[in-house]
Amino acid sequence: MAQTLVKTSISKGKATSIAVKFAVSYVRVSTVKQTKEDKTGIRRQEKDYQRWLKLHPEYKNLDGLEIRDLGVSGRKNVKEGALGRFLKKAEKGEIPANTCLVVESMSRLTRDEPYIGIGLIRRLWDLNHTIAFTQGN
């Protein structure tokens, strides 16, 4: 299983370890047409992620990794999309523990019924990862 990287810091003669936390952006739009429109939600989701990183400086983007399901339904993204591939990598331990998946909203994560959506979040938690939504309370 992948581990959270630890960075050693020396300050005032004392060595301390600081755990580096990682975040990964998840961007999704349902149709190919939405990827070509000027008023696309892609840019908005990207900006929300950058804003979230600034508000949470303890997190760093994981190796420039972005998860993008462009033109993939929120009902198929786990089985057929990049989100599903991310989950498989997490299951294999290829994603550092406690990586935070940052998503604009629950509707970007999934369009399935709430019970299934909560199951998806629990799956992330069971894999020792977290999730953050950039919109809403």
Side-chain angles (χ1 to χ4, degrees):
M1 176 174 233
Q3 298 295 318
T4 302
L5 298 180
V6 176
K7 186 189 219 178
T8 301
S9 169
I10 299 180
S11 122
K12 297 184 182 179
K14 293 183 181 180
T16 58
S17 293
I18 303 167
V20 177
K21 294 181 176 183
F22 293 107
V24 175
S25 169
Y26 178 61
V27 173
R28 186 188 68 76
V29 293
S30 300
T31 67
V32 174
K33 181 181 176 188
Q34 287 175 302
T35 66
K36 298 174 184 173
E37 291 177 353
D38 236 7
K39 295 167 72 173
T40 180
I42 297 170
R43 244 179 289 130
R44 182 189 67 242
Q45 292 176 61
E46 291 169 342
K47 286 180 182 179
D48 282 352
Y49 177 64
Q50 292 305 317
R51 190 175 308 117
W52 186 89
L53 282 174
K54 285 180 183 174
L55 291 171
H56 299 87
E58 67 275 20
Y59 285 89
K60 303 295 176 222
N61 185 260
L62 178 61
D63 298 328
L65 179 66
E66 290 181 325
I67 304 165
R68 298 167 77 86
D69 277 323
L70 306 181
V72 179
S73 163
R75 296 189 197 287
K76 297 180 180 179
N77 56 345
V78 172
K79 291 182 183 175
E80 301 173 12
L83 181 61
R85 290 189 294 279
F86 172 82
L87 291 168
K88 286 178 183 169
K89 284 184 169 208
E91 288 169 346
K92 292 178 185 175
E94 296 173 8
I95 305 293
N98 300 309
T99 295
C100 184
L101 183 67
V102 182
V103 186
E104 179 186 66
S105 65
M106 190 67 173
S107 69
R108 294 297 96 211
L109 182 66
T110 184
R111 289 294 191 163
D112 283 322
E113 62 184 71
Y115 184 81
I116 293 172
I118 295 298
L120 176 56
I121 292 171
R122 285 187 46 231
R123 183 175 172 190
L124 282 164
W125 290 342
D126 289 346
L127 292 167
N128 294 316
H129 297 293
T130 59
I131 187 165
F133 295 105
T134 61
Q135 294 192 358
N137 292 325

Short mmCIF file of all heavy atoms in Angstrom, two decimals, residues 99-136:
data_model
loop_
_atom_site.label_atom_id
_atom_site.label_comp_id
_atom_site.label_asym_id
_atom_site.label_seq_id
_atom_site.Cartn_x
_atom_site.Cartn_y
_atom_site.Cartn_z
N THR A 99 -5.17 10.69 0.41
CA THR A 99 -5.31 11.64 -0.69
C THR A 99 -6.75 12.13 -0.70
O THR A 99 -7.68 11.35 -0.53
CB THR A 99 -4.94 10.98 -2.03
OG1 THR A 99 -3.55 10.64 -2.00
CG2 THR A 99 -5.21 11.89 -3.21
N CYS A 100 -6.91 13.42 -0.91
CA CYS A 100 -8.25 14.02 -0.91
C CYS A 100 -8.72 14.21 -2.36
O CYS A 100 -8.05 14.87 -3.15
CB CYS A 100 -8.21 15.37 -0.20
SG CYS A 100 -9.84 16.13 -0.05
N LEU A 101 -9.84 13.63 -2.68
CA LEU A 101 -10.47 13.83 -3.98
C LEU A 101 -11.33 15.09 -3.88
O LEU A 101 -12.24 15.16 -3.06
CB LEU A 101 -11.33 12.62 -4.35
CG LEU A 101 -11.99 12.65 -5.72
CD1 LEU A 101 -10.93 12.56 -6.81
CD2 LEU A 101 -12.98 11.51 -5.85
N VAL A 102 -11.00 16.09 -4.68
CA VAL A 102 -11.70 17.38 -4.61
C VAL A 102 -12.64 17.50 -5.80
O VAL A 102 -12.22 17.43 -6.95
CB VAL A 102 -10.69 18.56 -4.59
CG1 VAL A 102 -11.42 19.89 -4.47
CG2 VAL A 102 -9.69 18.39 -3.44
N VAL A 103 -13.93 17.65 -5.48
CA VAL A 103 -15.00 17.65 -6.48
C VAL A 103 -15.87 18.88 -6.25
O VAL A 103 -16.09 19.28 -5.10
CB VAL A 103 -15.87 16.39 -6.34
CG1 VAL A 103 -16.90 16.29 -7.45
CG2 VAL A 103 -15.03 15.14 -6.26
N GLU A 104 -16.39 19.46 -7.31
CA GLU A 104 -17.23 20.64 -7.18
C GLU A 104 -18.46 20.36 -6.32
O GLU A 104 -18.76 21.11 -5.39
CB GLU A 104 -17.67 21.13 -8.56
CG GLU A 104 -18.57 22.35 -8.48
CD GLU A 104 -19.11 22.75 -9.83
OE1 GLU A 104 -19.89 21.98 -10.42
OE2 GLU A 104 -18.74 23.84 -10.27
N SER A 105 -19.18 19.29 -6.62
CA SER A 105 -20.42 19.00 -5.89
C SER A 105 -20.77 17.52 -6.03
O SER A 105 -20.18 16.82 -6.86
CB SER A 105 -21.57 19.85 -6.42
OG SER A 105 -21.85 19.49 -7.76
N MET A 106 -21.72 17.10 -5.27
CA MET A 106 -22.16 15.70 -5.34
C MET A 106 -22.65 15.36 -6.75
O MET A 106 -22.43 14.26 -7.24
CB MET A 106 -23.26 15.45 -4.30
CG MET A 106 -23.61 14.01 -4.12
SD MET A 106 -22.24 13.09 -3.40
CE MET A 106 -23.03 11.53 -3.11
N SER A 107 -23.27 16.32 -7.43
CA SER A 107 -23.78 16.05 -8.78
C SER A 107 -22.67 15.88 -9.80
O SER A 107 -22.88 15.29 -10.86
CB SER A 107 -24.75 17.15 -9.23
OG SER A 107 -24.07 18.35 -9.45
N ARG A 108 -21.49 16.38 -9.53
CA ARG A 108 -20.34 16.14 -10.41
C ARG A 108 -19.76 14.76 -10.13
O ARG A 108 -19.24 14.11 -11.02
CB ARG A 108 -19.23 17.19 -10.21
CG ARG A 108 -19.55 18.58 -10.60
CD ARG A 108 -19.84 18.76 -12.09
NE ARG A 108 -21.28 18.72 -12.31
CZ ARG A 108 -21.89 18.27 -13.40
NH1 ARG A 108 -21.22 17.83 -14.41
NH2 ARG A 108 -23.19 18.27 -13.49
N LEU A 109 -19.84 14.31 -8.88
CA LEU A 109 -19.31 13.01 -8.50
C LEU A 109 -20.17 11.88 -9.05
O LEU A 109 -19.68 10.92 -9.61
CB LEU A 109 -19.20 12.90 -6.97
CG LEU A 109 -18.62 11.61 -6.42
CD1 LEU A 109 -17.15 11.48 -6.81
CD2 LEU A 109 -18.78 11.56 -4.91
N THR A 110 -21.47 12.02 -8.87
CA THR A 110 -22.39 10.97 -9.31
C THR A 110 -23.78 11.53 -9.56
O THR A 110 -24.17 12.52 -8.94
CB THR A 110 -22.48 9.82 -8.27
OG1 THR A 110 -23.33 8.78 -8.78
CG2 THR A 110 -23.03 10.29 -6.94
N ARG A 111 -24.49 10.86 -10.45
CA ARG A 111 -25.90 11.18 -10.70
C ARG A 111 -26.77 10.02 -10.23
O ARG A 111 -27.96 10.01 -10.48
CB ARG A 111 -26.15 11.46 -12.18
CG ARG A 111 -25.56 12.75 -12.66
CD ARG A 111 -26.25 13.93 -12.03
NE ARG A 111 -25.84 15.16 -12.70
CZ ARG A 111 -26.49 16.28 -12.60
NH1 ARG A 111 -27.58 16.37 -11.87
NH2 ARG A 111 -26.06 17.35 -13.21
N ASP A 112 -26.15 9.06 -9.56
CA ASP A 112 -26.91 7.93 -9.03
C ASP A 112 -27.74 8.38 -7.83
O ASP A 112 -27.51 9.45 -7.27
CB ASP A 112 -25.97 6.79 -8.62
CG ASP A 112 -25.45 6.01 -9.82
OD1 ASP A 112 -26.23 5.79 -10.77
OD2 ASP A 112 -24.27 5.62 -9.81
N GLU A 113 -28.65 7.53 -7.44
CA GLU A 113 -29.50 7.85 -6.28
C GLU A 113 -28.62 8.02 -5.03
O GLU A 113 -27.50 7.51 -4.98
CB GLU A 113 -30.54 6.76 -6.07
CG GLU A 113 -29.94 5.39 -5.78
CD GLU A 113 -30.98 4.30 -5.68
OE1 GLU A 113 -31.57 3.93 -6.70
OE2 GLU A 113 -31.17 3.82 -4.54
N PRO A 114 -29.09 8.78 -4.06
CA PRO A 114 -28.27 9.11 -2.88
C PRO A 114 -27.65 7.90 -2.18
O PRO A 114 -26.49 7.97 -1.78
CB PRO A 114 -29.25 9.84 -1.95
CG PRO A 114 -30.23 10.47 -2.89
CD PRO A 114 -30.39 9.47 -4.02
N TYR A 115 -28.37 6.81 -2.04
CA TYR A 115 -27.83 5.64 -1.36
C TYR A 115 -26.56 5.14 -2.05
O TYR A 115 -25.56 4.82 -1.41
CB TYR A 115 -28.89 4.53 -1.29
CG TYR A 115 -28.45 3.33 -0.51
CD1 TYR A 115 -28.51 3.32 0.88
CD2 TYR A 115 -27.95 2.19 -1.15
CE1 TYR A 115 -28.09 2.22 1.61
CE2 TYR A 115 -27.54 1.09 -0.43
CZ TYR A 115 -27.60 1.11 0.95
OH TYR A 115 -27.18 0.03 1.66
N ILE A 116 -26.58 5.11 -3.38
CA ILE A 116 -25.42 4.66 -4.14
C ILE A 116 -24.30 5.70 -4.06
O ILE A 116 -23.12 5.35 -3.93
CB ILE A 116 -25.81 4.35 -5.60
CG1 ILE A 116 -26.75 3.14 -5.62
CG2 ILE A 116 -24.57 4.09 -6.47
CD1 ILE A 116 -27.37 2.84 -6.97
N GLY A 117 -24.66 6.98 -4.10
CA GLY A 117 -23.67 8.05 -3.98
C GLY A 117 -22.94 8.00 -2.65
O GLY A 117 -21.72 8.16 -2.59
N ILE A 118 -23.69 7.76 -1.59
CA ILE A 118 -23.07 7.65 -0.26
C ILE A 118 -22.16 6.42 -0.23
O ILE A 118 -21.09 6.44 0.37
CB ILE A 118 -24.14 7.57 0.86
CG1 ILE A 118 -24.92 8.89 0.92
CG2 ILE A 118 -23.53 7.22 2.20
CD1 ILE A 118 -24.11 10.11 1.24
N GLY A 119 -22.56 5.36 -0.92
CA GLY A 119 -21.72 4.17 -1.02
C GLY A 119 -20.39 4.46 -1.70
O GLY A 119 -19.35 3.93 -1.31
N LEU A 120 -20.42 5.32 -2.70
CA LEU A 120 -19.20 5.72 -3.40
C LEU A 120 -18.27 6.48 -2.45
O LEU A 120 -17.06 6.23 -2.40
CB LEU A 120 -19.54 6.57 -4.62
CG LEU A 120 -18.38 7.17 -5.41
CD1 LEU A 120 -17.40 6.10 -5.88
CD2 LEU A 120 -18.93 7.96 -6.60
N ILE A 121 -18.84 7.38 -1.67
CA ILE A 121 -18.04 8.12 -0.68
C ILE A 121 -17.47 7.15 0.36
O ILE A 121 -16.30 7.24 0.72
CB ILE A 121 -18.88 9.24 -0.03
CG1 ILE A 121 -19.19 10.31 -1.08
CG2 ILE A 121 -18.15 9.84 1.17
CD1 ILE A 121 -20.18 11.36 -0.62
N ARG A 122 -18.29 6.23 0.83
CA ARG A 122 -17.81 5.24 1.80
C ARG A 122 -16.68 4.39 1.21
O ARG A 122 -15.73 4.04 1.90
CB ARG A 122 -18.95 4.35 2.28
CG ARG A 122 -19.86 5.08 3.27
CD ARG A 122 -20.92 4.20 3.92
NE ARG A 122 -20.37 2.95 4.39
CZ ARG A 122 -20.90 1.75 4.09
NH1 ARG A 122 -21.97 1.65 3.35
NH2 ARG A 122 -20.36 0.67 4.58
N ARG A 123 -16.78 4.08 -0.08
CA ARG A 123 -15.73 3.31 -0.74
C ARG A 123 -14.41 4.08 -0.68
O ARG A 123 -13.36 3.51 -0.38
CB ARG A 123 -16.13 3.03 -2.19
CG ARG A 123 -15.15 2.18 -2.95
CD ARG A 123 -15.70 1.85 -4.32
NE ARG A 123 -14.72 1.18 -5.15
CZ ARG A 123 -14.87 0.96 -6.44
NH1 ARG A 123 -15.98 1.33 -7.05
NH2 ARG A 123 -13.93 0.34 -7.11
N LEU A 124 -14.45 5.38 -0.96
CA LEU A 124 -13.25 6.22 -0.85
C LEU A 124 -12.70 6.19 0.57
O LEU A 124 -11.50 6.05 0.79
CB LEU A 124 -13.55 7.65 -1.27
CG LEU A 124 -13.64 7.91 -2.76
CD1 LEU A 124 -14.32 9.24 -3.02
CD2 LEU A 124 -12.26 7.88 -3.39
N TRP A 125 -13.60 6.36 1.54
CA TRP A 125 -13.17 6.35 2.94
C TRP A 125 -12.56 5.01 3.31
O TRP A 125 -11.55 4.95 4.02
CB TRP A 125 -14.34 6.66 3.86
CG TRP A 125 -14.84 8.06 3.81
CD1 TRP A 125 -14.20 9.16 3.32
CD2 TRP A 125 -16.09 8.53 4.27
NE1 TRP A 125 -14.99 10.28 3.45
CE2 TRP A 125 -16.16 9.92 4.03
CE3 TRP A 125 -17.19 7.91 4.86
CZ2 TRP A 125 -17.26 10.70 4.36
CZ3 TRP A 125 -18.29 8.67 5.19
CH2 TRP A 125 -18.32 10.06 4.95
N ASP A 126 -13.18 3.90 2.86
CA ASP A 126 -12.67 2.57 3.17
C ASP A 126 -11.28 2.34 2.57
O ASP A 126 -10.51 1.51 3.06
CB ASP A 126 -13.63 1.48 2.67
CG ASP A 126 -14.91 1.42 3.48
OD1 ASP A 126 -14.97 2.00 4.59
OD2 ASP A 126 -15.88 0.79 2.99
N LEU A 127 -10.96 3.08 1.50
CA LEU A 127 -9.64 3.00 0.88
C LEU A 127 -8.65 3.99 1.51
O LEU A 127 -7.57 4.22 0.99
CB LEU A 127 -9.75 3.28 -0.63
CG LEU A 127 -10.49 2.21 -1.43
CD1 LEU A 127 -10.83 2.71 -2.83
CD2 LEU A 127 -9.66 0.93 -1.49
N ASN A 128 -9.05 4.58 2.64
CA ASN A 128 -8.22 5.54 3.39
C ASN A 128 -7.97 6.84 2.63
O ASN A 128 -6.87 7.38 2.67
CB ASN A 128 -6.89 4.91 3.82
CG ASN A 128 -7.11 3.81 4.82
OD1 ASN A 128 -7.89 3.96 5.74
ND2 ASN A 128 -6.45 2.69 4.61
N HIS A 129 -9.00 7.30 1.94
CA HIS A 129 -8.93 8.58 1.25
C HIS A 129 -10.05 9.47 1.76
O HIS A 129 -10.95 9.02 2.46
CB HIS A 129 -9.03 8.39 -0.26
CG HIS A 129 -7.89 7.60 -0.80
ND1 HIS A 129 -6.58 8.05 -0.80
CD2 HIS A 129 -7.83 6.34 -1.31
CE1 HIS A 129 -5.80 7.14 -1.29
NE2 HIS A 129 -6.52 6.08 -1.61
N THR A 130 -9.97 10.74 1.43
CA THR A 130 -11.00 11.69 1.84
C THR A 130 -11.59 12.35 0.60
O THR A 130 -11.08 12.18 -0.51
CB THR A 130 -10.43 12.77 2.78
OG1 THR A 130 -9.38 13.47 2.09
CG2 THR A 130 -9.87 12.16 4.06
N ILE A 131 -12.65 13.10 0.82
CA ILE A 131 -13.30 13.80 -0.28
C ILE A 131 -13.69 15.19 0.21
O ILE A 131 -14.02 15.36 1.39
CB ILE A 131 -14.52 13.02 -0.81
CG1 ILE A 131 -15.07 13.70 -2.07
CG2 ILE A 131 -15.58 12.86 0.25
CD1 ILE A 131 -16.02 12.82 -2.86
N ALA A 132 -13.57 16.17 -0.67
CA ALA A 132 -13.98 17.54 -0.35
C ALA A 132 -14.80 18.08 -1.51
O ALA A 132 -14.48 17.82 -2.67
CB ALA A 132 -12.76 18.41 -0.12
N PHE A 133 -15.86 18.79 -1.17
CA PHE A 133 -16.68 19.45 -2.18
C PHE A 133 -16.38 20.94 -2.12
O PHE A 133 -16.32 21.53 -1.04
CB PHE A 133 -18.16 19.17 -1.92
CG PHE A 133 -18.53 17.73 -2.08
CD1 PHE A 133 -18.76 16.93 -0.98
CD2 PHE A 133 -18.61 17.16 -3.34
CE1 PHE A 133 -19.08 15.59 -1.11
CE2 PHE A 133 -18.93 15.81 -3.51
CZ PHE A 133 -19.17 15.03 -2.39
N THR A 134 -16.20 21.56 -3.29
CA THR A 134 -15.84 22.97 -3.33
C THR A 134 -17.04 23.90 -3.24
O THR A 134 -16.89 25.07 -2.95
CB THR A 134 -15.04 23.31 -4.60
OG1 THR A 134 -15.85 23.03 -5.75
CG2 THR A 134 -13.75 22.54 -4.66
N GLN A 135 -18.23 23.38 -3.51
CA GLN A 135 -19.44 24.20 -3.43
C GLN A 135 -20.37 23.65 -2.38
O GLN A 135 -20.39 22.45 -2.11
CB GLN A 135 -20.14 24.26 -4.79
CG GLN A 135 -19.29 24.99 -5.79
CD GLN A 135 -20.07 25.33 -7.05
OE1 GLN A 135 -21.23 24.99 -7.20
NE2 GLN A 135 -19.42 26.02 -7.96
N GLY A 136 -21.16 24.54 -1.80
CA GLY A 136 -22.09 24.12 -0.76
C GLY A 136 -21.44 24.24 0.60
O GLY A 136 -20.31 24.68 0.75
#
